[in-house]
Amino acid sequence: MAAGSDAGRAPGVLGAVCLLLRFGFISCGSQRVYGIVHEKVTFNIASNEPLKEILWKKQKDKVAEWENSEGRAFSPFKNRTYLDPVSGDLTIFNLTSSDEGKYEMESPNITGTKTFFLYVLEHLPSPRLTCALTNGSIEVLCRILEHYKSHRELTEYSWDCPMEQCKHNSTKMYFKLDDELPQTIQCTASNPLVNKTSSIVLETCVPNSGHSRNRYVFIAVLSGVITIIACIVLYMCGILKCDRKTDRNNSS
């Protein structure tokens, strides 16, 4: 019975996958391409021979075409594209988030359809590093601020410090207070196109560590001042004693 039910389930699963493929929700053969808002991106075809006719589409809508030795772009890509009639490469300028999606290129000179999926990313901000004491350890958190919503799943984190735990990629790092702490650690946030790095001084994560140092400096300075004043007082007292002895001798 179990084998029969699994066999009956298989056609249903395959049917669902076929429907997803048919309506463009899944594109197994698509090449991933990444671009940044307000910048440009190029879909590379790398054709070995000149193409007489070229048609680029986003989903089912025309983007650009080359036919009868003339090029043409379609809204909303007018004045934002360049179609290379030799290679078939398509470049889109001044990217917007709405440009994201599935693109296809067709030509009688090429067998089949060239398929791409474009991911449009916002400019990646620098990560923010924060720290706190947790159960005798320093917990350091590295993260991109919440207002950055552009494909956060594509953002990866890495650390740079001379300790073993920095070899692990995660958003959190722990350092024991008993260990010899590095002076500075760095965290890098990256996506497929760019990376940004921030750093933090671990000493600032320990309460009063900076104040203690300042207190010791203050005490040292205060002690020096007191010593100088004492020397001056003793010196002045010595002069007064000498003057009194001189006066007595003169009186005699």
Side-chain angles (χ1 to χ4, degrees):
M1 290 294 292
S5 61
D6 289 342
R9 237 185 252 118
V13 173
L14 290 174
V17 171
C18 289
L19 284 174
L20 290 171
L21 287 169
R22 179 178 178 183
F23 289 103
F25 294 106
I26 297 178
S27 51
C28 298
S30 297
Q31 178 182 338
R32 290 188 175 191
V33 179
Y34 301 93
I36 298 177
V37 170
H38 303 313
E39 298 189 10
K40 68 178 182 178
V41 69
T42 298
F43 301 98
N44 295 304
I45 297 299
S47 175
N48 295 324
E49 58 181 85
L51 306 175
K52 296 180 180 179
E53 294 182 8
I54 307 169
L55 174 62
W56 278 93
K57 296 187 297 183
K58 182 191 176 194
Q59 308 294 11
K60 301 299 180 182
D61 299 324
K62 289 184 177 182
V63 174
E65 66 178 4
W66 181 266
E67 188 176 16
N68 297 325
S69 300
E70 291 185 1
R72 181 184 178 189
F74 300 86
S75 181
F77 297 96
K78 285 185 177 180
N79 303 318
R80 290 201 299 128
T81 61
Y82 171 71
L83 177 56
D84 189 325
V86 177
S87 65
D89 296 352
L90 175 69
T91 300
I92 302 176
F93 300 90
N94 194 22
L95 284 172
T96 67
S97 57
S98 61
D99 292 334
E100 183 169 304
K102 180 181 176 183
Y103 289 78
E104 295 179 340
M105 182 272 198
E106 300 174 357
S107 174
N109 304 87
I110 296 179
T111 303
T113 300
K114 299 290 185 179
T115 307
F116 302 82
F117 194 95
L118 173 63
Y119 295 85
V120 180
L121 310 176
E122 297 284 343
H123 286 271
L124 185 67
S126 296
R128 180 183 179 186
L129 286 168
T130 56
C131 59
L133 285 180
T134 305
N135 299 324
S137 297
I138 300 176
E139 178 190 78
V140 183
L141 179 63
C142 178
R143 61 182 175 180
I144 297 295
L145 295 180
E146 294 180 357
H147 67 78
Y148 183 77
K149 304 291 185 181
S150 180
H151 291 291
R152 295 181 70 96
E153 74 281 0
L154 296 176
T155 305
E156 297 182 348
Y157 297 87
S158 60
W159 299 82
D160 183 17
C161 81
M163 305 186 73
E164 183 67 25
Q165 56 263 47
C166 285
K167 296 180 181 180
H168 303 288
N169 296 335
S170 64
T171 57
K172 288 184 181 180
M173 198 64 60
Y174 293 91
F175 300 89
K176 293 182 179 180
L177 290 175
D178 298 336
D179 295 338
E180 185 176 348
L181 299 177
Q183 184 177 3
T184 303
I185 61 171
Q186 293 182 333
C187 174
T188 299
S190 59
N191 60 32
L193 292 178
V194 296
N195 60 72
K196 292 293 183 68
T197 300
S198 298
S199 61
I200 189 171
V201 178
L202 286 182
E203 187 181 66
T204 61
C205 304
V206 182
N208 299 323
S209 61
H211 298 294
S212 297
R213 178 177 294 177
N214 293 335
R215 185 169 64 249
Y216 294 144
V217 172
F218 174 75
I219 292 173
V221 172
L222 182 61
S223 299
V225 171
I226 292 173
T227 301
I228 293 173
I229 292 174
C231 291
I232 294 173
V233 171
L234 291 174
Y235 177 74
M236 294 300 295
C237 288
I239 292 176
L240 290 174
K241 286 181 180 179
C242 289
D243 289 343
R244 287 174 184 173
K245 287 181 180 179
T246 304
D247 292 342
R248 286 175 184 174
N249 292 332
N250 291 334
S251 299
S252 301

